Amino acid sequence: MCAATSQMVAKVAELMELRKMIDDLNAEAELIADEIKAYMGEEETMTAGSYVVRYQNVVSQRCDTKELKLLGDALDPYMKRVESRRFSVK
C-alpha cells in the first residue's frame, strides 16, 4: 500500500463530499417521485405542463440463476470469465 500526498487526500475528501451530496439529492428526488406517484393514484399517464409522466406496470422475464446453479458442472461450457477492476473509498 502506498501513502497518499496531501493533494491526493484533498481529492479523496472532495470525492467523498460529492458522493454524500449525490446521495442526499437522490434521496430528495425519490421523495418527490413518491409524491408524484401518490398524486397519480391508479392513473398510468399524466401531463404536467410540457412533461408527460408515466407510472406503468412493466413485465419482464429473467433467468433464475438460483435454479441454474442446481445444474452444477453442466453449466461450465456456458460460463464466461470476466475481469474488471473495482474502485472503492471507505
Side-chain angles (χ1 to χ4, degrees):
M1 185 182 319
C2 65
T5 64
S6 61
Q7 182 180 10
M8 187 55 63
V9 171
K11 283 289 182 193
V12 171
E14 181 182 7
L15 173 64
M16 296 308 287
E17 180 62 29
L18 287 171
R19 285 184 175 176
K20 173 145 181 24
M21 290 170 61
I22 289 168
D23 289 344
D24 293 345
L25 288 171
N26 281 334
E28 187 175 340
E30 272 304 309
L31 288 174
I32 293 171
D34 289 343
E35 290 176 14
I36 294 168
K37 292 174 195 174
Y39 180 85
M40 291 179 71
E42 295 297 316
E43 292 294 322
E44 290 190 350
T45 305
M46 174 182 77
T47 56
S50 62
Y51 300 99
V52 176
V53 182
R54 290 185 178 84
Y55 186 44
Q56 302 170 315
N57 290 326
V58 177
V59 178
S60 62
Q61 290 183 313
R62 297 183 181 167
C63 190
D64 186 348
T65 56
K66 289 181 182 177
E67 290 294 321
L68 284 176
K69 287 180 182 177
L70 297 176
L71 297 175
D73 293 340
L75 286 179
D76 285 349
Y78 304 101
M79 301 302 285
K80 181 171 88 171
R81 182 182 167 133
V82 177
E83 289 188 30
S84 63
R85 293 179 70 182
R86 181 177 295 151
F87 175 76
S88 66
V89 180
K90 295 183 183 181

Coordinates of all heavy atoms in Angstrom, one line a residue:
M1 N 0.8 -1.2 0.0 CA 0.0 0.0 0.0 C 0.9 1.2 0.0 O 1.9 1.3 0.7 CB -0.9 0.0 1.2 CG -1.9 1.1 1.2 SD -3.0 1.3 2.7 CE -3.4 -0.4 3.1
C2 N 0.5 2.2 -0.8 CA 1.3 3.4 -0.9 C 0.7 4.6 -0.1 O -0.6 4.6 0.1 CB 1.5 3.9 -2.3 SG 0.0 4.3 -3.2
A3 N 1.4 5.5 0.4 CA 0.9 6.6 1.1 C 0.5 7.7 0.2 O 1.2 8.0 -0.8 CB 2.0 7.1 2.1
A4 N -0.6 8.4 0.5 CA -1.1 9.5 -0.4 C -0.5 10.8 0.0 O -0.2 11.1 1.1 CB -2.6 9.6 -0.3
T5 N -0.3 11.7 -1.0 CA 0.2 13.0 -0.8 C -1.0 13.9 -0.2 O -2.2 13.4 -0.3 CB 0.6 13.7 -2.1 OG1 -0.5 13.8 -3.0 CG2 1.8 12.9 -2.7
S6 N -0.7 15.0 0.3 CA -1.8 15.9 0.8 C -2.8 16.3 -0.3 O -3.9 16.5 0.0 CB -1.2 17.1 1.5 OG -0.4 17.9 0.6
Q7 N -2.3 16.4 -1.5 CA -3.1 16.8 -2.6 C -4.1 15.6 -2.9 O -5.3 15.8 -3.1 CB -2.3 17.0 -3.9 CG -3.1 17.4 -5.1 CD -2.3 17.7 -6.3 OE1 -1.1 17.4 -6.4 NE2 -2.9 18.3 -7.3
M8 N -3.6 14.4 -2.8 CA -4.5 13.2 -3.0 C -5.5 13.1 -1.9 O -6.7 12.7 -2.1 CB -3.6 11.9 -3.2 CG -4.5 10.7 -3.6 SD -5.4 10.9 -5.1 CE -4.2 11.2 -6.3
V9 N -5.1 13.4 -0.7 CA -6.0 13.3 0.5 C -7.1 14.3 0.3 O -8.3 14.0 0.5 CB -5.3 13.6 1.8 CG1 -6.2 13.8 2.9 CG2 -4.3 12.5 2.1
A10 N -6.8 15.5 -0.2 CA -7.8 16.5 -0.5 C -8.8 16.1 -1.6 O -10.0 16.3 -1.5 CB -7.1 17.8 -0.9
K11 N -8.2 15.4 -2.6 CA -9.1 14.9 -3.7 C -10.0 13.8 -3.2 O -11.2 13.8 -3.6 CB -8.2 14.3 -4.9 CG -7.6 15.3 -5.8 CD -8.6 16.0 -6.6 CE -8.0 17.0 -7.5 NZ -9.0 17.9 -8.1
V12 N -9.6 12.9 -2.4 CA -10.4 11.9 -1.8 C -11.5 12.5 -1.0 O -12.7 12.1 -1.0 CB -9.6 10.8 -1.1 CG1 -10.5 9.8 -0.3 CG2 -8.6 10.1 -2.0
A13 N -11.1 13.5 -0.2 CA -12.1 14.2 0.7 C -13.2 14.8 -0.2 O -14.4 14.8 0.1 CB -11.4 15.2 1.6
E14 N -12.8 15.5 -1.3 CA -13.7 16.1 -2.2 C -14.6 15.1 -2.8 O -15.8 15.3 -2.9 CB -12.9 16.9 -3.3 CG -13.8 17.6 -4.3 CD -12.9 18.3 -5.4 OE1 -11.7 18.1 -5.4 OE2 -13.6 19.0 -6.1
L15 N -14.1 14.0 -3.2 CA -14.9 12.9 -3.8 C -15.9 12.4 -2.8 O -17.1 12.2 -3.2 CB -14.0 11.7 -4.2 CG -14.7 10.4 -4.7 CD1 -15.5 10.7 -6.0 CD2 -13.7 9.3 -4.9
M16 N -15.5 12.2 -1.6 CA -16.5 11.7 -0.6 C -17.6 12.7 -0.3 O -18.7 12.4 -0.1 CB -15.7 11.3 0.7 CG -14.7 10.2 0.5 SD -15.5 8.7 -0.2 CE -16.5 8.1 1.1
E17 N -17.2 14.0 -0.3 CA -18.2 15.1 -0.1 C -19.2 15.1 -1.3 O -20.4 15.2 -1.1 CB -17.5 16.4 0.1 CG -18.5 17.6 0.3 CD -19.3 17.5 1.6 OE1 -18.8 16.8 2.5 OE2 -20.4 18.0 1.6
L18 N -18.7 15.0 -2.5 CA -19.6 15.0 -3.7 C -20.5 13.7 -3.6 O -21.7 13.8 -4.0 CB -18.8 15.0 -4.9 CG -18.1 16.3 -5.3 CD1 -17.1 16.1 -6.4 CD2 -19.1 17.4 -5.6
R19 N -20.0 12.6 -3.2 CA -20.8 11.4 -3.1 C -21.9 11.6 -2.1 O -23.0 11.1 -2.3 CB -20.0 10.2 -2.8 CG -19.2 9.7 -4.0 CD -18.4 8.4 -3.7 NE -17.8 7.9 -4.9 CZ -16.9 6.9 -4.9 NH1 -16.7 6.2 -3.8 NH2 -16.4 6.5 -6.1
K20 N -21.6 12.2 -1.0 CA -22.6 12.5 0.0 C -23.7 13.4 -0.5 O -24.9 13.2 -0.3 CB -22.0 13.1 1.3 CG -23.0 13.5 2.3 CD -22.6 13.3 3.7 CE -23.6 13.7 4.7 NZ -25.0 13.7 4.4
M21 N -23.3 14.4 -1.3 CA -24.2 15.4 -1.9 C -25.1 14.6 -2.9 O -26.4 14.8 -2.9 CB -23.5 16.5 -2.6 CG -22.8 17.5 -1.6 SD -21.7 18.7 -2.4 CE -22.9 19.5 -3.5
I22 N -24.6 13.7 -3.6 CA -25.3 12.9 -4.6 C -26.3 12.1 -3.9 O -27.5 12.0 -4.3 CB -24.4 12.1 -5.5 CG1 -23.6 13.0 -6.5 CG2 -25.1 11.0 -6.3 CD1 -22.5 12.3 -7.2
D23 N -25.9 11.4 -2.8 CA -26.8 10.6 -2.0 C -28.0 11.4 -1.5 O -29.2 11.0 -1.5 CB -26.1 9.9 -0.9 CG -25.2 8.8 -1.4 OD1 -25.3 8.3 -2.5 OD2 -24.3 8.3 -0.6
D24 N -27.7 12.6 -1.0 CA -28.7 13.5 -0.4 C -29.7 13.9 -1.5 O -30.9 13.9 -1.3 CB -28.1 14.7 0.3 CG -27.3 14.3 1.5 OD1 -27.5 13.2 2.0 OD2 -26.5 15.2 2.0
L25 N -29.2 14.3 -2.7 CA -30.0 14.7 -3.8 C -30.9 13.5 -4.3 O -32.0 13.7 -4.6 CB -29.2 15.3 -4.9 CG -28.6 16.7 -4.6 CD1 -27.6 17.1 -5.7 CD2 -29.7 17.7 -4.4
N26 N -30.3 12.3 -4.4 CA -31.0 11.2 -4.8 C -32.2 10.9 -3.9 O -33.3 10.5 -4.3 CB -30.1 9.9 -5.0 CG -29.3 10.0 -6.3 OD1 -29.8 10.6 -7.2 ND2 -28.2 9.3 -6.3
A27 N -31.9 11.0 -2.6 CA -33.0 10.8 -1.6 C -34.1 11.8 -1.7 O -35.3 11.5 -1.7 CB -32.4 10.8 -0.2
E28 N -33.7 13.0 -2.0 CA -34.7 14.1 -2.1 C -35.5 13.9 -3.4 O -36.8 14.0 -3.4 CB -34.0 15.5 -2.2 CG -35.0 16.6 -2.2 CD -34.3 18.0 -2.2 OE1 -33.1 18.0 -1.7 OE2 -34.9 19.0 -2.5
A29 N -34.9 13.4 -4.5 CA -35.5 13.1 -5.7 C -36.5 12.0 -5.6 O -37.6 12.0 -6.1 CB -34.5 12.8 -6.8
E30 N -36.1 11.0 -4.8 CA -37.0 9.8 -4.5 C -38.3 10.2 -3.8 O -39.4 9.8 -4.1 CB -36.3 8.7 -3.7 CG -35.5 7.7 -4.6 CD -36.4 7.0 -5.6 OE1 -37.5 6.5 -5.3 OE2 -36.0 7.0 -6.8
L31 N -38.1 11.1 -2.8 CA -39.3 11.7 -2.1 C -40.2 12.4 -3.0 O -41.5 12.2 -2.9 CB -38.8 12.6 -0.9 CG -38.2 11.9 0.3 CD1 -37.6 13.0 1.2 CD2 -39.1 11.0 1.0
I32 N -39.7 13.2 -3.9 CA -40.5 13.9 -4.8 C -41.2 13.0 -5.8 O -42.4 13.1 -6.1 CB -39.7 15.0 -5.6 CG1 -39.3 16.1 -4.6 CG2 -40.5 15.6 -6.8 CD1 -38.3 17.1 -5.2
A33 N -40.5 11.9 -6.3 CA -41.1 10.9 -7.2 C -42.2 10.2 -6.5 O -43.3 9.9 -7.1 CB -40.0 10.0 -7.6
D34 N -42.0 9.9 -5.2 CA -43.1 9.2 -4.4 C -44.3 10.1 -4.3 O -45.4 9.6 -4.3 CB -42.6 8.8 -3.0 CG -41.6 7.6 -3.1 OD1 -41.5 6.9 -4.1 OD2 -40.8 7.4 -2.1
E35 N -44.1 11.4 -4.1 CA -45.3 12.3 -4.0 C -46.0 12.3 -5.4 O -47.2 12.4 -5.4 CB -44.8 13.7 -3.7 CG -44.3 13.9 -2.3 CD -43.7 15.3 -2.0 OE1 -44.0 16.2 -2.8 OE2 -43.0 15.5 -1.0
I36 N -45.3 12.3 -6.5 CA -45.9 12.3 -7.8 C -46.7 11.0 -8.0 O -47.8 11.1 -8.5 CB -44.8 12.5 -8.9 CG1 -44.2 13.9 -8.8 CG2 -45.5 12.3 -10.3 CD1 -43.0 14.2 -9.6
K37 N -46.1 9.9 -7.6 CA -46.8 8.6 -7.7 C -48.1 8.6 -6.9 O -49.1 8.1 -7.4 CB -45.9 7.5 -7.3 CG -44.7 7.3 -8.2 CD -43.8 6.2 -7.6 CE -42.4 6.2 -8.2 NZ -41.5 5.3 -7.5
A38 N -48.0 9.1 -5.7 CA -49.2 9.2 -4.8 C -50.3 10.0 -5.5 O -51.4 9.7 -5.4 CB -48.8 9.7 -3.5
Y39 N -49.9 11.2 -6.0 CA -50.8 12.1 -6.7 C -51.5 11.4 -7.9 O -52.7 11.6 -8.1 CB -50.1 13.3 -7.2 CG -51.0 14.3 -7.9 CD1 -51.8 15.2 -7.1 CD2 -51.1 14.3 -9.2 CE1 -52.6 16.1 -7.7 CE2 -52.0 15.2 -9.9 CZ -52.7 16.1 -9.1 OH -53.5 17.0 -9.7
M40 N -50.7 10.6 -8.6 CA -51.3 9.9 -9.8 C -52.3 8.8 -9.5 O -53.2 8.5 -10.2 CB -50.1 9.3 -10.7 CG -49.3 10.4 -11.3 SD -47.9 9.7 -12.3 CE -48.8 9.0 -13.7
G41 N -52.1 8.2 -8.3 CA -53.0 7.1 -7.9 C -52.9 6.0 -8.9 O -51.9 5.4 -9.1
E42 N -54.1 5.6 -9.4 CA -54.1 4.5 -10.4 C -53.9 4.9 -11.8 O -53.8 4.1 -12.7 CB -55.5 3.8 -10.3 CG -55.7 3.1 -8.9 CD -54.7 2.0 -8.7 OE1 -54.4 1.2 -9.6 OE2 -54.1 1.9 -7.6
E43 N -53.8 6.2 -12.1 CA -53.5 6.7 -13.4 C -52.2 6.3 -13.9 O -51.2 6.3 -13.1 CB -53.7 8.2 -13.5 CG -55.0 8.8 -13.3 CD -56.0 8.4 -14.4 OE1 -55.6 8.3 -15.6 OE2 -57.2 8.1 -14.1
E44 N -52.1 5.9 -15.2 CA -50.8 5.4 -15.7 C -50.0 6.6 -16.4 O -48.8 6.5 -16.5 CB -50.9 4.3 -16.6 CG -51.3 3.0 -16.0 CD -51.3 1.8 -16.9 OE1 -51.1 2.0 -18.1 OE2 -51.3 0.7 -16.4
T45 N -50.8 7.6 -16.9 CA -50.1 8.7 -17.6 C -50.8 10.0 -17.1 O -52.0 10.1 -16.9 CB -50.4 8.5 -19.1 OG1 -49.9 7.2 -19.5 CG2 -49.6 9.6 -19.9
M46 N -49.9 11.0 -17.0 CA -50.4 12.3 -16.6 C -49.5 13.4 -17.4 O -48.3 13.2 -17.6 CB -50.2 12.5 -15.1 CG -50.5 13.8 -14.6 SD -50.1 14.0 -12.8 CE -48.4 14.1 -12.8
T47 N -50.1 14.5 -17.8 CA -49.4 15.6 -18.3 C -49.2 16.6 -17.2 O -50.2 16.9 -16.5 CB -50.1 16.2 -19.6 OG1 -51.4 16.6 -19.2 CG2 -50.1 15.2 -20.7
A48 N -48.0 17.1 -17.1 CA -47.7 18.2 -16.2 C -47.0 19.3 -16.9 O -45.7 19.2 -17.1 CB -46.9 17.6 -15.0
G49 N -47.7 20.3 -17.4 CA -47.0 21.3 -18.2 C -46.5 20.6 -19.5 O -47.3 20.0 -20.2
S50 N -45.3 20.8 -19.8 CA -44.7 20.2 -21.0 C -44.2 18.8 -20.8 O -43.6 18.2 -21.7 CB -43.6 21.1 -21.5 OG -42.5 21.2 -20.6
Y51 N -44.4 18.2 -19.6 CA -43.9 16.9 -19.2 C -45.0 15.9 -19.3 O -46.2 16.2 -19.0 CB -43.3 16.9 -17.8 CG -42.2 17.8 -17.6 CD1 -42.4 19.1 -17.0 CD2 -40.9 17.5 -18.0 CE1 -41.3 19.9 -16.8 CE2 -39.8 18.3 -17.8 CZ -40.0 19.6 -17.2 OH -39.0 20.4 -17.1
V52 N -44.6 14.7 -19.7 CA -45.5 13.5 -19.7 C -45.0 12.6 -18.7 O -43.8 12.1 -18.8 CB -45.7 12.8 -21.1 CG1 -46.5 11.6 -21.0 CG2 -46.2 13.8 -22.1
V53 N -45.8 12.3 -17.6 CA -45.3 11.4 -16.5 C -46.0 10.1 -16.7 O -47.3 10.0 -16.8 CB -45.7 12.0 -15.2 CG1 -45.2 11.1 -14.0 CG2 -45.1 13.4 -15.1
R54 N -45.3 9.0 -16.7 CA -45.8 7.7 -16.8 C -45.4 6.8 -15.6 O -44.3 6.9 -15.2 CB -45.4 7.0 -18.1 CG -45.9 7.6 -19.3 CD -45.5 6.8 -20.6 NE -46.1 7.3 -21.8 CZ -45.5 8.3 -22.4 NH1 -44.4 8.9 -22.0 NH2 -46.1 8.8 -23.5
Y55 N -46.4 6.1 -15.0 CA -46.2 5.2 -13.9 C -46.9 3.9 -14.3 O -48.1 3.8 -13.9 CB -46.6 5.8 -12.6 CG -46.3 5.0 -11.4 CD1 -45.0 4.4 -11.2 CD2 -47.2 4.9 -10.4 CE1 -44.7 3.7 -10.1 CE2 -46.9 4.2 -9.2 CZ -45.7 3.6 -9.1 OH -45.4 2.9 -8.0
Q56 N -46.3 3.0 -15.0 CA -46.9 1.9 -15.6 C -46.3 0.6 -15.1 O -45.1 0.5 -14.7 CB -46.8 1.9 -17.1 CG -47.4 3.2 -17.7 CD -47.1 3.3 -19.2 OE1 -45.9 3.1 -19.6 NE2 -48.0 3.7 -20.0
N57 N -47.1 -0.5 -15.1 CA -46.6 -1.8 -14.8 C -45.8 -2.3 -16.0 O -46.1 -2.0 -17.1 CB -47.8 -2.8 -14.6 CG -48.5 -2.5 -13.3 OD1 -47.9 -2.1 -12.3 ND2 -49.8 -2.7 -13.3
V58 N -44.7 -2.9 -15.6 CA -43.8 -3.5 -16.6 C -43.5 -5.0 -16.3 O -43.2 -5.3 -15.1 CB -42.4 -2.7 -16.6 CG1 -41.5 -3.4 -17.6 CG2 -42.6 -1.3 -16.9
V59 N -43.7 -5.8 -17.3 CA -43.4 -7.2 -17.1 C -42.2 -7.6 -17.9 O -42.0 -7.3 -19.0 CB -44.7 -8.1 -17.6 CG1 -44.4 -9.6 -17.4 CG2 -45.9 -7.6 -16.8
S60 N -41.3 -8.3 -17.2 CA -40.1 -8.8 -17.9 C -39.8 -10.2 -17.4 O -40.3 -10.7 -16.4 CB -38.9 -7.9 -17.5 OG -38.6 -7.9 -16.2
Q61 N -39.0 -10.9 -18.2 CA -38.6 -12.3 -17.9 C -37.1 -12.3 -17.7 O -36.4 -11.7 -18.4 CB -39.0 -13.3 -19.0 CG -40.5 -13.5 -19.2 CD -40.8 -14.5 -20.2 OE1 -40.2 -14.4 -21.3 NE2 -41.6 -15.4 -19.9
R62 N -36.7 -13.0 -16.6 CA -35.3 -13.1 -16.3 C -34.9 -14.5 -16.0 O -35.8 -15.3 -15.6 CB -35.0 -12.3 -15.0 CG -35.2 -10.8 -15.3 CD -34.9 -10.0 -14.1 NE -35.2 -8.6 -14.4 CZ -35.2 -7.6 -13.5 NH1 -34.9 -7.9 -12.2 NH2 -35.5 -6.4 -13.8
C63 N -33.7 -14.8 -16.2 CA -33.2 -16.1 -15.9 C -33.0 -16.3 -14.4 O -32.5 -15.5 -13.7 CB -31.8 -16.3 -16.6 SG -31.2 -18.0 -16.6
D64 N -33.5 -17.4 -13.9 CA -33.5 -17.7 -12.5 C -32.1 -18.4 -12.2 O -31.9 -19.6 -12.3 CB -34.6 -18.7 -12.0 CG -34.7 -18.9 -10.5 OD1 -33.7 -18.5 -9.8 OD2 -35.7 -19.4 -10.1
T65 N -31.1 -17.6 -11.7 CA -29.8 -18.1 -11.5 C -29.7 -19.1 -10.4 O -28.9 -20.0 -10.4 CB -28.8 -17.0 -11.3 OG1 -29.3 -16.2 -10.2 CG2 -28.7 -16.1 -12.5
K66 N -30.6 -19.0 -9.4 CA -30.6 -20.0 -8.3 C -30.9 -21.4 -8.8 O -30.3 -22.4 -8.4 CB -31.5 -19.6 -7.2 CG -31.1 -18.4 -6.4 CD -32.1 -18.0 -5.4 CE -31.6 -16.8 -4.6 NZ -32.6 -16.3 -3.6
E67 N -31.9 -21.4 -9.7 CA -32.2 -22.7 -10.3 C -31.1 -23.3 -11.2 O -30.9 -24.5 -11.3 CB -33.6 -22.6 -11.1 CG -34.8 -22.4 -10.2 CD -35.1 -23.6 -9.3 OE1 -34.9 -24.7 -9.8 OE2 -35.5 -23.3 -8.2
L68 N -30.5 -22.3 -11.9 CA -29.4 -22.8 -12.8 C -28.2 -23.4 -12.0 O -27.6 -24.3 -12.5 CB -28.9 -21.6 -13.7 CG -29.8 -21.2 -14.8 CD1 -29.2 -20.0 -15.5 CD2 -30.0 -22.3 -15.8
K69 N -28.0 -22.8 -10.9 CA -26.9 -23.3 -10.0 C -27.1 -24.8 -9.6 O -26.1 -25.5 -9.4 CB -26.7 -22.5 -8.8 CG -26.1 -21.1 -9.1 CD -25.9 -20.3 -7.9 CE -25.3 -18.9 -8.3 NZ -25.2 -18.0 -7.1
L70 N -28.3 -25.2 -9.6 CA -28.6 -26.7 -9.3 C -28.1 -27.6 -10.4 O -27.8 -28.8 -10.1 CB -30.1 -26.9 -9.2 CG -30.8 -26.1 -8.0 CD1 -32.3 -26.3 -8.0 CD2 -30.2 -26.5 -6.7
L71 N -27.8 -27.1 -11.6 CA -27.3 -27.9 -12.7 C -25.8 -28.1 -12.5 O -25.2 -29.0 -13.1 CB -27.5 -27.2 -14.0 CG -29.0 -27.1 -14.4 CD1 -29.1 -26.3 -15.7 CD2 -29.7 -28.4 -14.6
G72 N -25.1 -27.3 -11.7 CA -23.7 -27.5 -11.3 C -22.8 -27.5 -12.5 O -22.8 -26.5 -13.3
D73 N -22.0 -28.5 -12.7 CA -20.9 -28.5 -13.7 C -21.5 -28.5 -15.1 O -20.8 -28.2 -16.1 CB -20.0 -29.7 -13.5 CG -19.2 -29.6 -12.2 OD1 -19.1 -28.5 -11.7 OD2 -18.7 -30.7 -11.7
A74 N -22.7 -28.8 -15.3 CA -23.3 -28.9 -16.6 C -23.3 -27.5 -17.3 O -23.4 -27.3 -18.5 CB -24.8 -29.4 -16.6
L75 N -23.2 -26.4 -16.5 CA -23.2 -25.1 -17.0 C -21.8 -24.6 -17.4 O -21.7 -23.6 -18.1 CB -23.7 -24.1 -15.9 CG -25.2 -24.1 -15.7 CD1 -25.6 -23.1 -14.6 CD2 -26.0 -23.8 -16.9
D76 N -20.8 -25.3 -17.0 CA -19.4 -24.8 -17.3 C -19.1 -24.4 -18.7 O -18.5 -23.4 -18.9 CB -18.4 -25.9 -16.8 CG -18.2 -25.9 -15.3 OD1 -18.8 -25.0 -14.6 OD2 -17.6 -26.9 -14.8
P77 N -19.6 -25.2 -19.7 CA -19.4 -24.8 -21.1 C -20.0 -23.4 -21.4 O -19.6 -22.8 -22.4 CB -20.0 -25.9 -21.9 CG -20.2 -27.0 -21.0 CD -20.3 -26.5 -19.7
Y78 N -20.9 -23.0 -20.7 CA -21.6 -21.7 -21.0 C -21.2 -20.5 -20.1 O -21.6 -19.4 -20.2 CB -23.1 -21.9 -20.8 CG -23.7 -23.0 -21.6 CD1 -23.9 -24.3 -21.1 CD2 -23.8 -22.9 -23.0 CE1 -24.4 -25.3 -21.8 CE2 -24.3 -23.9 -23.8 CZ -24.6 -25.1 -23.2 OH -25.0 -26.2 -23.9
M79 N -20.2 -20.8 -19.2 CA -19.7 -19.8 -18.3 C -18.6 -19.0 -19.0 O -17.8 -19.6 -19.7 CB -19.2 -20.4 -17.0 CG -20.3 -21.1 -16.2 SD -21.7 -20.2 -15.8 CE -21.1 -19.2 -14.5
K80 N -18.6 -17.7 -18.7 CA -17.6 -16.8 -19.3 C -16.9 -16.1 -18.2 O -17.5 -15.5 -17.3 CB -18.2 -15.9 -20.3 CG -17.2 -15.0 -21.0 CD -17.9 -14.2 -22.1 CE -18.5 -12.9 -21.6 NZ -19.0 -12.0 -22.6
R81 N -15.6 -16.1 -18.2 CA -14.8 -15.4 -17.2 C -14.7 -13.9 -17.6 O -14.3 -13.6 -18.7 CB -13.4 -16.0 -17.0 CG -12.6 -15.4 -16.0 CD -11.2 -16.0 -15.9 NE -10.4 -15.2 -15.1 CZ -9.6 -15.6 -14.1 NH1 -9.6 -16.9 -13.9 NH2 -8.9 -14.8 -13.4
V82 N -15.0 -13.0 -16.7 CA -14.9 -11.6 -16.9 C -14.0 -11.0 -15.9 O -14.3 -11.2 -14.7 CB -16.3 -11.0 -16.9 CG1 -16.2 -9.5 -17.1 CG2 -17.2 -11.6 -18.0
E83 N -13.1 -10.2 -16.2 CA -12.2 -9.5 -15.3 C -12.5 -8.0 -15.3 O -12.8 -7.4 -16.4 CB -10.7 -9.7 -15.6 CG -10.3 -11.1 -15.3 CD -8.8 -11.3 -15.5 OE1 -8.1 -10.3 -15.2 OE2 -8.4 -12.4 -15.8
S84 N -12.4 -7.4 -14.1 CA -12.6 -5.9 -14.1 C -11.9 -5.4 -12.9 O -11.3 -6.2 -12.1 CB -14.1 -5.6 -13.9 OG -14.6 -6.2 -12.7
R85 N -11.8 -4.1 -12.7 CA -11.2 -3.5 -11.5 C -12.2 -2.8 -10.7 O -13.1 -2.1 -11.3 CB -10.1 -2.6 -12.0 CG -8.9 -3.3 -12.7 CD -7.9 -2.3 -13.1 NE -7.2 -1.8 -12.0 CZ -6.2 -0.9 -12.1 NH1 -5.9 -0.4 -13.2 NH2 -5.6 -0.4 -11.0
R86 N -12.2 -2.9 -9.5 CA -13.2 -2.3 -8.6 C -12.5 -1.1 -7.9 O -11.4 -1.2 -7.3 CB -13.7 -3.3 -7.5 CG -14.7 -2.6 -6.6 CD -15.3 -3.7 -5.7 NE -16.0 -4.7 -6.4 CZ -16.1 -5.9 -6.0 NH1 -15.6 -6.3 -4.9 NH2 -16.8 -6.8 -6.8
F87 N -13.2 0.1 -7.9 CA -12.7 1.3 -7.2 C -13.6 1.5 -6.0 O -14.8 1.5 -6.1 CB -12.7 2.5 -8.1 CG -12.3 3.8 -7.5 CD1 -11.0 4.0 -7.2 CD2 -13.2 4.7 -7.2 CE1 -10.6 5.2 -6.6 CE2 -12.9 5.9 -6.6 CZ -11.6 6.1 -6.3
S88 N -13.0 1.7 -4.8 CA -13.8 2.0 -3.6 C -13.0 2.9 -2.7 O -11.8 2.9 -2.7 CB -14.2 0.7 -2.9 OG -13.1 0.0 -2.4
V89 N -13.8 3.6 -2.0 CA -13.2 4.5 -0.9 C -14.1 4.3 0.3 O -15.3 4.4 0.2 CB -13.2 6.0 -1.4 CG1 -12.7 6.9 -0.3 CG2 -12.5 6.2 -2.7
K90 N -13.5 4.0 1.4 CA -14.3 3.8 2.7 C -13.9 4.9 3.7 O -12.9 5.4 3.7 CB -13.9 2.4 3.3 CG -14.4 1.3 2.4 CD -14.1 0.0 3.0 CE -14.5 -1.1 2.1 NZ -14.3 -2.4 2.7

